[in-house]
Amino acid sequence: MTIEVSILGGSGYTGGELLRLLLGHPEVRVKQVTSRSRAGKFVHTVHPNLRKRTQLKFVSPDELERVDVLFACLPHGETAPQVDRLLELGSIVIDLSADFRLRDPAAYETWYRWTHPRPDLLAQAVYGLPELHREEIRAARYIASPGCNSTAAILGLAPLARAGVIDLDMPIVIEAKVGSSGAGGEAGPASHHPERSGVIRPFKPSGHRHTAEVLQELAVCGRAPQIGLSVTSVEAVRGILATAHVFPNRELTDKDLWQIYRAMYGQEPFVRIVKEVTGIHRYPEPKILTGSNYCDVGWELEDLNGRQRIVVMSAIDNLMKGAAGQAVQAMNIRLGFPETLGLEFPGLHPL
Amino acid sequence: MTIEVSILGGSGYTGGELLRLLLGHPEVRVKQVTSRSRAGKFVHTVHPNLRKRTQLKFVSPDELERVDVLFACLPHGETAPQVDRLLELGSIVIDLSADFRLRDPAAYETWYRWTHPRPDLLAQAVYGLPELHREEIRAARYIASPGCNSTAAILGLAPLARAGVIDLDMPIVIEAKVGSSGAGGEAGPASHHPERSGVIRPFKPSGHRHTAEVLQELAVCGRAPQIGLSVTSVEAVRGILATAHVFPNRELTDKDLWQIYRAMYGQEPFVRIVKEVTGIHRYPEPKILTGSNYCDVGWELEDLNGRQRIVVMSAIDNLMKGAAGQAVQAMNIRLGFPETLGLEFPGLHPL
Amino acid sequence: MTIEVSILGGSGYTGGELLRLLLGHPEVRVKQVTSRSRAGKFVHTVHPNLRKRTQLKFVSPDELERVDVLFACLPHGETAPQVDRLLELGSIVIDLSADFRLRDPAAYETWYRWTHPRPDLLAQAVYGLPELHREEIRAARYIASPGCNSTAAILGLAPLARAGVIDLDMPIVIEAKVGSSGAGGEAGPASHHPERSGVIRPFKPSGHRHTAEVLQELAVCGRAPQIGLSVTSVEAVRGILATAHVFPNRELTDKDLWQIYRAMYGQEPFVRIVKEVTGIHRYPEPKILTGSNYCDVGWELEDLNGRQRIVVMSAIDNLMKGAAGQAVQAMNIRLGFPETLGLEFPGLHPL
Amino acid sequence: MTIEVSILGGSGYTGGELLRLLLGHPEVRVKQVTSRSRAGKFVHTVHPNLRKRTQLKFVSPDELERVDVLFACLPHGETAPQVDRLLELGSIVIDLSADFRLRDPAAYETWYRWTHPRPDLLAQAVYGLPELHREEIRAARYIASPGCNSTAAILGLAPLARAGVIDLDMPIVIEAKVGSSGAGGEAGPASHHPERSGVIRPFKPSGHRHTAEVLQELAVCGRAPQIGLSVTSVEAVRGILATAHVFPNRELTDKDLWQIYRAMYGQEPFVRIVKEVTGIHRYPEPKILTGSNYCDVGWELEDLNGRQRIVVMSAIDNLMKGAAGQAVQAMNIRLGFPETLGLEFPGLHPL
């Protein structure tokens, strides 16, 4: 049985990565890829890694036909107004924008300064993070695929939240160090190579929208503390390392943490615990995850003169586990395929 | 039918890349991977991208058992002295060192300042470049896998040599721009990050050993002119862009060149002609080939005030088409598997 | 009047940077530069930027003669045992190691697991951070030049500490993102270019020794809260961005913070407040500070659902304001020269 | 005596670098800096390294007043039409565009596809390369400052041309490896960081306009052979390494080459011969020249089976010796200042 899929908004980085994965997926046929501005051109003119891999051309979004799974990769705010049409076009819709990630319409007002046009549908969308919502994904009609920083932060913190060991009176500080592809494919002064190359640049020290997802999902795990997320741009194209600083509500040992993380991730196909005592690669690092769907998670426990701090590190490729890879993982779950199908690439070393 | 393979010398970058490819190859079972210094340790302690992918541990080279295909990734000069043992251990031996690449023992004296210990065997080894030696590879007992700079240079120049359009009285200048992984996994002052990062550094302006392979293989295609190869280190981990400057022996048009290159590469699974008139990616570029087995080839034709110059550009990932990928491609040919099996990864964009 | 200076330990990165600055300083003559392993060789064989700038050769440390100012750039732990000799050789000693930075011998036990051999002298050394200790530096016989992460963190936090607005019951989390030169000039597996290039790598998530200096100096400013410092390696050779997350003990406005920072840094020659509302360079960034002695400081104030967070960002070149530049600044203060003499280089843009 | 200077076109990278140099020049006062689009804004909003260094604001080009030296940093083709006005505004004009670099109007047709509007003035402009035209610069009214690739290539080749050892029947191939700043400050798809980062990208394999300058200036030194220039973009912001491949007309020894290069550059303040037999930095490398006005030149001599090849390497910072630094050097010569005044920065190591 081959599934027919299409990509709405296929000229961006997320759309291109989805296309790469879906072209290589043994159970999938890519039917259409849309781009209003590039309609009629071969997809490899925009995604040069796909030369000789496909003869697909972009079509206008107006030409979309019905498919089994429709992936929507539109800019935030452009999906919700046309959601009814998307639900007609796809038996299943997997939306990689932020438009249906938050259940609470008020959160869109707070974090996006945006009045959601279809709050009635928010409760029906499933937040597409398999490690927290696998069972709901199996039955979902509409999957809202998580944000990249959110994915890294939530996967780092969820085990602690579930285990109930977080001191909820203490804010959690999360620092995400990110590459340039997360800001998308549009050129601008800040992404001009001489300006962007080699920076260690505060990108969004406060008020990052992905905070809303972290708050929502930690609440799913128990109750969310205050969250202060800061995002710093560093020299990389792909990759996020999210470092979360957590204060526990009781004395913990390293062994406790091993048990807590293993309990949640021991059977997960795409989450690895990385915590070595020797060698170069002792903690999670995004570089070697490039192109893979893994989230690597590790931690360090420290005593700050009487108070314990847990430093949780989680690393992903923002275009894979942080976007396209996670969307394909959700599709696999939804359609009953092996969860890792088409996502087997392990990453490269050295890179 | 599953083929059993082992890797002799598996702790370096080439060995690690081979291991990644062979673990993902559907017709292969990796039996043993050797490392004298790491024997007993999990392979993922050295190759961190293979965490959760294999439970293999390094074994001592003395423990090697018989297999269908033995890949040898030893430093140059260490294979030839033990070649009889390797031929006992592997029904087929694929040697990624330089020890059997040159047919003429005198060339080892000239380029390696080394007296070959087994000149009697040189004629039996097949130079493992499928685009020039596919039929010989099908029957080979011992395959000498080509060098990285050689692969890029030969694939760029072979069509012109075969077509007989090179002015053999004019030297060909080849400039290879290379990443750091080609120099191997051993740390040293020149590879120390603060010294190596961001350089545009003459690495080997003259006398590079890979010149010998280019001379040999262009002679296979016709007759070789003088070749001056210069190698420059640039900021990249993987990747080679070889630019060759050729003077033709008769007036050529761009259409002639299209015909010449298409005639040789039109059916090749891993060579793409890249020559666009618009867009960002108009010529071959190694970055988007990272992890893929492609060699992208393009050219530009220019009139220098009365004399034509052909600028030929060819790009590869030095660890893939320049080493491990090409070795697996040769194995596939030798064993009658589809040539692209296990080598389907198209490369990433953006990266 | 020309001052005679020498550098003990001149073959490392800090020694080389000092040498560059001192050779360009109009009131200074560099008398000797030592390196035991390189004695007899021109200094430009190690510091290639100094070609044609000096004919100095390294001498053995045993050959050191008396000078006005002796700069000591030895590895930590090697200065203290020979401090009496250094005090004989230099009328003033400026020590860039950690050996005399901490006043409390117990802190060396805690953070360095080292029993200080000369605790009697700790109280006499002046911590060479001009912004906090300018008056003491003017009369100092022995100046302990601060650590790089410490400098960035302390300069970011000191105004808040002095103003008494930090909630001392809440730990301060500091995340320093650092380049590779801070780890020194010795090659090793972790600094091998293919391994180090492009990383976002947890370097020291907890327990970093520079924490001790931050605790000490914030106490100078008032009282120190608990400090959790995490250091992450990113792709850069020079540069530190330290981001500190502070919770205030009373409601603050952005205007309050402007007043607090301006009060302390308004007249400082090497601290700039960087906080723009438009443009690319809105916050401190180390890249454009490369080669300069500036510390740029900025902040963002955020309400976390009822609790304010101050995100303080401070950026330096770790070899300049974080090491050699700050040492020369201290020398200028000590000798009554204009504080910026020899430190006028503003940094490059683009870079 | 303080000289008054202004910069026409001060918002680009070359204008910014000039401004940095001129602000630090002890004999110069910067009167005005123009930018039509940024008029009224502080120059440090565009050149962030100049924060706290100057309170200058951009003015409209229409507001320019008379000065001793006017630096013109306009896009190519915009200077020539207004040259009469520039000559009124500046007692001396130093033009960093290409508009008056070529003496032969036909060369503009050939290389720029542009009919020069003022061919009458071409002969009066002096090509501002001090190493070839120092005496003419001393008396020049209008100085056409050379292009970046041209500077590197000419300085590498001029000694051989002057010595008459180049085989003029053999084309010279020049490969320039360049950073991103040479393409200017305007953002576009090709300079978008995810696309530009880490590339080894053919930028202009043939037909580069700077070829015209190399041909002209080698003719000044004797007679020019055919020149084939190829430019490749690599990961760097600043820096050019030009590698030229020359075939001599008679047998040469390495000692001959030392004599040839020393004869021309032995007394030059900004050209260094770099050719070491040991160490990391054996040949010219642009990285350590960043911010400095040096051109480092070296070579390697090789026998290609009967024919000698000279590989000449020359490295510069394209914004310094390739643009702003060279313009200030010419100003110093013209005004009788010490040639190195304001250009003393030696470059950084490590970087």
Side-chain angles (χ1 to χ4, degrees):
Chain A
M1 178 194 67
T2 296
I3 295 295
E4 282 193 331
V5 308
S6 290
I7 301 172
L8 173 64
S11 67
Y13 289 155
T14 300
E17 190 70 345
L18 254 182
L19 182 55
R20 174 180 75 82
L21 293 172
L22 294 169
L23 287 170
H25 195 291
E27 303 291 343
V28 160
R29 191 178 78 85
V30 179
K31 191 169 185 180
Q32 293 178 303
V33 184
T34 82
S35 167
R36 199 172 290 281
S37 63
R38 310 263 182 175
K41 297 197 173 157
F42 285 111
V43 297
H44 68 70
T45 59
V46 178
H47 307 303
N49 54 330
L50 301 181
R51 278 179 187 131
K52 240 184 167 174
R53 289 306 177 104
T54 176
Q55 291 304 311
L56 271 175
K57 292 179 178 177
F58 290 113
V59 301
S60 161
D62 307 325
E63 303 171 59
L64 269 183
E65 301 167 14
R66 269 201 60 83
V67 286
D68 299 306
V69 182
L70 179 66
F71 291 90
C73 304
L74 299 178
H76 301 320
E78 296 189 13
T79 314
Q82 58 177 304
V83 62
D84 293 326
R85 180 174 172 249
L86 303 191
L87 286 163
E88 278 169 31
L89 287 167
S91 305
I92 300 161
V93 175
I94 302 184
D95 178 2
L96 286 89
S97 84
D99 284 14
F100 289 92
R101 289 179 194 155
L102 306 180
R103 304 207 139 213
D104 180 1
Y108 282 102
E109 305 275 356
T110 303
W111 294 96
Y112 287 80
R113 302 179 189 287
W114 181 56
T115 303
H116 199 288
R118 295 300 298 277
D120 57 306
L121 294 177
L122 289 176
Q124 296 173 35
V126 170
Y127 190 73
L129 192 75
E131 291 77 8
L132 288 180
H133 299 281
R134 187 171 280 112
E135 290 314 309
E136 298 153 80
I137 291 169
R138 284 195 213 285
R141 171 90 168 88
Y142 197 99
I143 296 169
S145 211
C148 54
N149 294 300
S150 331
T151 296
I154 295 165
L155 290 176
L157 292 170
L160 301 176
R162 279 202 177 171
V165 299
I166 298 175
D167 182 343
L168 297 169
D169 294 330
M170 300 289 287
I172 293 178
V173 165
I174 305 171
E175 275 231 0
K177 280 73 66 178
V178 304
S180 61
S181 62
E186 285 300 309
S191 75
H192 186 50
H193 182 272
E195 305 294 343
R196 178 63 176 77
S197 170
V199 298
I200 312 175
R201 175 181 291 168
F203 171 68
K204 191 77 183 157
S206 62
H208 196 289
R209 294 165 165 190
H210 286 174
T211 313
E213 296 174 46
V214 183
L215 287 166
Q216 169 179 292
E217 296 300 313
L218 291 190
V220 165
C221 299
R223 209 186 96 209
Q226 293 158 324
I227 299 281
L229 170 62
S230 299
V231 180
T232 305
S233 298
V234 299
E235 175 58 43
V237 172
R238 293 179 180 228
I240 296 176
L241 177 72
T243 311
H245 306 266
V246 181
F247 302 95
N249 59 10
R250 59 179 176 86
E251 180 87 8
L252 295 172
T253 64
D254 200 55
K255 197 177 159 194
D256 293 333
L257 291 169
W258 273 103
Q259 285 175 341
I260 286 169
Y261 278 92
R262 273 198 183 125
M264 182 157 174
Y265 295 139
Q267 305 305 316
E268 281 297 333
F270 288 117
V271 183
R272 300 185 295 197
I273 299 175
V274 175
K275 185 167 159 56
E276 309 277 352
V277 291
T278 58
I280 306 174
H281 304 280
R282 299 171 54 191
Y283 300 109
E285 286 185 39
K287 186 171 77 154
I288 57 166
L289 303 181
T290 303
S292 94
N293 198 48
Y294 287 116
C295 178
D296 282 355
V297 177
W299 66 85
E300 203 59 70
L301 184 64
E302 174 182 40
D303 186 85
L304 301 181
N305 194 24
R307 189 196 299 267
Q308 283 188 310
R309 173 173 71 134
I310 313 171
V311 183
V312 182
M313 295 154 277
S314 44
I316 59 169
D317 176 338
N318 55 300
L319 294 178
M320 286 294 301
K321 184 65 177 169
Q326 184 147 264
V328 171
Q329 184 184 358
M331 179 195 77
N332 284 341
I333 293 168
R334 176 63 183 78
L335 297 176
F337 299 145
E339 194 164 330
T340 59
L341 204 64
L343 298 169
E344 296 88 352
F345 184 70
L348 296 167
H349 176 259
L351 180 69
Chain B
M1 178 195 67
T2 295
I3 295 295
E4 282 194 333
V5 308
S6 289
I7 301 173
L8 173 63
S11 66
Y13 289 155
T14 299
E17 191 70 344
L18 255 182
L19 182 55
R20 174 180 73 82
L21 293 172
L22 295 168
L23 287 171
H25 195 291
E27 302 292 342
V28 159
R29 192 177 77 83
V30 180
K31 191 169 184 181
Q32 293 178 304
V33 184
T34 81
S35 167
R36 198 171 291 280
S37 63
R38 310 263 183 174
K41 296 198 176 159
F42 284 111
V43 295
H44 69 72
T45 59
V46 177
H47 307 302
N49 55 330
L50 301 181
R51 275 180 189 131
K52 238 183 169 174
R53 289 305 177 105
T54 177
Q55 292 303 310
L56 272 174
K57 293 178 177 176
F58 290 112
V59 301
S60 161
D62 306 326
E63 302 171 58
L64 268 183
E65 301 168 13
R66 270 200 59 83
V67 285
D68 299 305
V69 184
L70 178 66
F71 291 90
C73 304
L74 298 178
H76 301 319
E78 296 191 12
T79 313
Q82 57 178 303
V83 62
D84 293 326
R85 181 174 173 248
L86 303 191
L87 286 163
E88 278 171 31
L89 287 168
S91 306
I92 300 161
V93 175
I94 301 184
D95 177 1
L96 288 89
S97 85
D99 283 13
F100 288 92
R101 289 180 195 155
L102 306 180
R103 302 206 141 215
D104 180 0
Y108 282 102
E109 305 274 356
T110 303
W111 293 97
Y112 288 81
R113 303 180 187 286
W114 180 56
T115 303
H116 199 288
R118 294 298 300 275
D120 56 307
L121 294 176
L122 289 177
Q124 297 173 34
V126 171
Y127 191 72
L129 192 75
E131 292 77 9
L132 288 181
H133 300 281
R134 188 171 279 111
E135 290 314 308
E136 297 154 81
I137 292 169
R138 284 196 213 286
R141 172 90 167 87
Y142 198 98
I143 296 170
S145 212
C148 54
N149 294 300
S150 330
T151 295
I154 294 165
L155 290 176
L157 292 169
L160 301 176
R162 279 202 177 173
V165 300
I166 299 176
D167 183 344
L168 297 169
D169 293 330
M170 301 288 289
I172 292 178
V173 166
I174 305 171
E175 274 231 1
K177 280 72 67 180
V178 305
S180 61
S181 62
E186 284 302 310
S191 74
H192 185 50
H193 183 272
E195 306 293 344
R196 178 61 176 78
S197 170
V199 297
I200 312 176
R201 174 181 292 169
F203 170 68
K204 192 76 184 160
S206 63
H208 196 288
R209 295 166 164 189
H210 286 174
T211 312
E213 296 174 46
V214 183
L215 287 166
Q216 168 179 293
E217 296 300 311
L218 290 191
V220 165
C221 299
R223 210 187 96 210
Q226 293 158 325
I227 299 281
L229 170 62
S230 298
V231 181
T232 305
S233 298
V234 298
E235 175 58 44
V237 172
R238 293 179 179 226
I240 295 176
L241 177 72
T243 310
H245 305 268
V246 181
F247 301 96
N249 58 9
R250 59 177 175 88
E251 180 87 8
L252 295 173
T253 65
D254 200 54
K255 196 177 157 195
D256 293 334
L257 291 170
W258 273 104
Q259 284 175 342
I260 286 169
Y261 278 92
R262 273 199 184 124
M264 182 157 174
Y265 295 140
Q267 305 305 317
E268 281 296 334
F270 287 118
V271 183
R272 299 185 295 196
I273 299 175
V274 175
K275 184 168 160 55
E276 309 277 351
V277 292
T278 59
I280 304 174
H281 304 280
R282 299 171 53 192
Y283 300 108
E285 287 185 39
K287 187 172 74 155
I288 56 167
L289 303 181
T290 303
S292 94
N293 198 47
Y294 286 117
C295 177
D296 283 354
V297 177
W299 66 86
E300 204 59 69
L301 184 63
E302 175 183 38
D303 186 84
L304 301 182
N305 194 25
R307 189 197 299 266
Q308 283 189 310
R309 174 174 69 135
I310 313 171
V311 183
V312 182
M313 295 154 277
S314 44
I316 58 169
D317 176 338
N318 55 299
L319 294 178
M320 285 293 300
K321 185 65 178 169
Q326 184 147 264
V328 172
Q329 184 184 358
M331 178 195 77
N332 284 340
I333 292 168
R334 176 65 183 77
L335 296 177
F337 299 145
E339 194 164 330
T340 59
L341 204 64
L343 298 169
E344 296 88 353
F345 184 69
L348 296 167
H349 175 258
L351 181 68
Chain C
M1 177 195 67
T2 296
I3 294 296
E4 282 194 332
V5 308
S6 290
I7 301 172
L8 174 63
S11 66
Y13 290 155
T14 299
E17 191 70 344
L18 254 182
L19 182 55
R20 175 180 73 83
L21 293 171
L22 294 168
L23 287 171
H25 195 290
E27 303 291 343
V28 159
R29 192 177 77 83
V30 179
K31 191 168 184 180
Q32 293 178 304
V33 184
T34 81
S35 167
R36 198 171 290 281
S37 63
R38 310 263 182 173
K41 296 198 175 158
F42 284 111
V43 295
H44 67 73
T45 59
V46 177
H47 307 303
N49 55 330
L50 301 180
R51 276 180 188 130
K52 240 184 167 172
R53 289 306 178 106
T54 177
Q55 292 304 311
L56 271 175
K57 293 178 177 178
F58 290 112
V59 301
S60 161
D62 306 326
E63 302 172 57
L64 268 183
E65 301 167 14
R66 269 201 60 84
V67 286
D68 299 305
V69 183
L70 178 66
F71 290 90
C73 304
L74 299 178
H76 301 320
E78 297 189 12
T79 315
Q82 57 178 304
V83 62
D84 292 326
R85 180 174 172 248
L86 303 192
L87 286 163
E88 277 170 31
L89 287 168
S91 305
I92 300 161
V93 175
I94 302 184
D95 177 2
L96 287 89
S97 84
D99 284 14
F100 288 91
R101 290 181 194 155
L102 305 180
R103 304 206 140 215
D104 180 0
Y108 282 103
E109 306 275 356
T110 303
W111 293 97
Y112 289 79
R113 301 180 189 287
W114 180 57
T115 302
H116 199 288
R118 294 298 300 275
D120 56 307
L121 293 176
L122 289 176
Q124 296 173 36
V126 171
Y127 191 73
L129 191 75
E131 292 77 8
L132 288 181
H133 299 282
R134 187 171 280 113
E135 291 314 309
E136 298 153 80
I137 291 169
R138 284 194 213 286
R141 172 90 168 86
Y142 198 98
I143 296 169
S145 212
C148 53
N149 294 300
S150 331
T151 295
I154 294 165
L155 290 176
L157 293 170
L160 300 177
R162 279 202 179 171
V165 299
I166 298 176
D167 182 344
L168 297 168
D169 293 330
M170 300 289 287
I172 293 178
V173 166
I174 305 171
E175 273 230 2
K177 280 75 65 179
V178 304
S180 60
S181 62
E186 284 301 310
S191 75
H192 186 49
H193 183 271
E195 305 293 343
R196 178 61 177 78
S197 171
V199 298
I200 313 177
R201 174 182 292 167
F203 171 68
K204 191 77 184 159
S206 63
H208 197 288
R209 294 165 166 191
H210 287 174
T211 312
E213 295 173 46
V214 183
L215 287 166
Q216 168 179 292
E217 296 300 313
L218 290 190
V220 165
C221 299
R223 209 188 94 208
Q226 292 158 325
I227 299 280
L229 170 62
S230 298
V231 181
T232 305
S233 298
V234 298
E235 176 58 45
V237 172
R238 293 179 180 227
I240 295 176
L241 177 72
T243 310
H245 305 267
V246 181
F247 301 94
N249 58 10
R250 58 179 175 87
E251 181 87 8
L252 294 172
T253 64
D254 200 55
K255 195 177 158 194
D256 293 334
L257 291 170
W258 273 104
Q259 284 175 342
I260 286 169
Y261 278 91
R262 273 199 183 124
M264 182 157 175
Y265 295 139
Q267 306 305 316
E268 281 297 335
F270 287 117
V271 183
R272 300 186 295 198
I273 299 175
V274 175
K275 185 168 159 57
E276 309 277 351
V277 292
T278 59
I280 305 173
H281 304 280
R282 298 171 54 192
Y283 300 109
E285 286 184 38
K287 186 171 75 153
I288 57 167
L289 303 181
T290 303
S292 94
N293 198 47
Y294 286 117
C295 177
D296 283 354
V297 177
W299 64 86
E300 204 59 69
L301 185 62
E302 176 183 39
D303 187 86
L304 301 181
N305 193 24
R307 189 196 300 266
Q308 284 189 309
R309 174 175 70 135
I310 313 171
V311 182
V312 182
M313 295 154 278
S314 44
I316 59 169
D317 176 338
N318 55 298
L319 294 178
M320 286 293 301
K321 184 65 178 169
Q326 184 147 265
V328 171
Q329 184 184 358
M331 178 195 77
N332 284 340
I333 292 168
R334 176 62 183 79
L335 296 177
F337 299 145
E339 194 163 331
T340 60
L341 205 64
L343 299 169
E344 297 88 353
F345 184 69
L348 296 167
H349 175 259
L351 181 69
Chain D
M1 180 193 66
T2 296
I3 295 295
E4 281 193 333
V5 307
S6 289
I7 301 172
L8 173 64
S11 67
Y13 289 155
T14 300
E17 190 70 344
L18 255 182
L19 183 54
R20 174 180 74 82
L21 293 172
L22 294 169
L23 287 171
H25 195 291
E27 302 292 341
V28 160
R29 190 178 78 83
V30 180
K31 190 168 185 180
Q32 293 178 304
V33 184
T34 81
S35 167
R36 199 171 291 280
S37 63
R38 311 264 183 174
K41 296 197 175 160
F42 285 112
V43 297
H44 68 70
T45 59
V46 177
H47 308 302
N49 54 330
L50 301 181
R51 276 179 188 131
K52 238 184 169 173
R53 288 306 177 105
T54 177
Q55 291 304 310
L56 272 175
K57 293 178 178 177
F58 290 113
V59 300
S60 161
D62 307 326
E63 302 171 59
L64 268 183
E65 301 168 14
R66 271 201 59 84
V67 286
D68 298 305
V69 183
L70 179 65
F71 291 90
C73 304
L74 299 179
H76 301 320
E78 296 189 12
T79 313
Q82 58 177 306
V83 63
D84 293 326
R85 179 172 175 252
L86 303 191
L87 286 164
E88 277 169 33
L89 287 168
S91 306
I92 300 162
V93 176
I94 301 183
D95 178 1
L96 287 89
S97 84
D99 283 14
F100 289 91
R101 289 180 194 155
L102 306 180
R103 303 206 140 214
D104 180 0
Y108 283 102
E109 306 274 356
T110 303
W111 293 97
Y112 288 80
R113 303 181 189 285
W114 180 57
T115 303
H116 199 288
R118 294 300 299 276
D120 56 307
L121 293 177
L122 289 176
Q124 296 172 35
V126 171
Y127 191 73
L129 191 75
E131 292 76 9
L132 288 181
H133 300 281
R134 186 171 280 113
E135 290 314 308
E136 299 153 78
I137 291 169
R138 284 196 213 286
R141 171 90 169 87
Y142 197 99
I143 296 169
S145 212
C148 53
N149 294 299
S150 331
T151 295
I154 295 165
L155 290 176
L157 292 170
L160 301 176
R162 279 202 177 172
V165 300
I166 299 176
D167 182 344
L168 297 169
D169 294 330
M170 300 290 287
I172 293 178
V173 166
I174 305 171
E175 274 229 2
K177 280 72 68 180
V178 304
S180 60
S181 62
E186 285 301 309
S191 74
H192 186 50
H193 183 271
E195 305 293 343
R196 178 62 177 77
S197 170
V199 298
I200 312 176
R201 173 181 292 168
F203 171 68
K204 191 78 184 158
S206 63
H208 196 287
R209 295 166 164 190
H210 286 173
T211 312
E213 296 174 46
V214 183
L215 287 166
Q216 168 178 291
E217 297 301 312
L218 290 191
V220 165
C221 299
R223 209 187 95 208
Q226 293 159 325
I227 300 281
L229 171 62
S230 298
V231 181
T232 305
S233 298
V234 299
E235 175 59 44
V237 172
R238 295 179 179 226
I240 295 176
L241 177 72
T243 311
H245 305 267
V246 181
F247 301 95
N249 58 9
R250 59 179 176 86
E251 181 88 8
L252 295 173
T253 63
D254 200 56
K255 196 177 158 195
D256 294 332
L257 291 170
W258 273 104
Q259 284 175 342
I260 286 169
Y261 278 92
R262 272 199 184 125
M264 182 158 174
Y265 294 140
Q267 305 305 316
E268 281 297 334
F270 288 117
V271 184
R272 300 185 294 196
I273 298 175
V274 174
K275 185 168 159 55
E276 309 277 351
V277 292
T278 59
I280 305 174
H281 303 279
R282 298 171 54 192
Y283 300 110
E285 286 185 39
K287 186 171 77 154
I288 57 166
L289 303 181
T290 302
S292 94
N293 198 49
Y294 286 116
C295 178
D296 282 356
V297 176
W299 66 85
E300 204 58 69
L301 184 63
E302 175 182 39
D303 186 85
L304 301 181
N305 193 24
R307 189 196 300 268
Q308 283 189 311
R309 173 174 72 134
I310 314 171
V311 183
V312 182
M313 295 153 278
S314 44
I316 59 169
D317 177 337
N318 56 299
L319 294 177
M320 286 294 299
K321 184 64 178 169
Q326 184 147 264
V328 172
Q329 184 184 356
M331 179 194 77
N332 284 341
I333 293 169
R334 176 63 183 79
L335 296 176
F337 298 146
E339 194 163 329
T340 59
L341 204 64
L343 298 169
E344 296 89 352
F345 184 70
L348 296 167
H349 176 259
L351 180 69

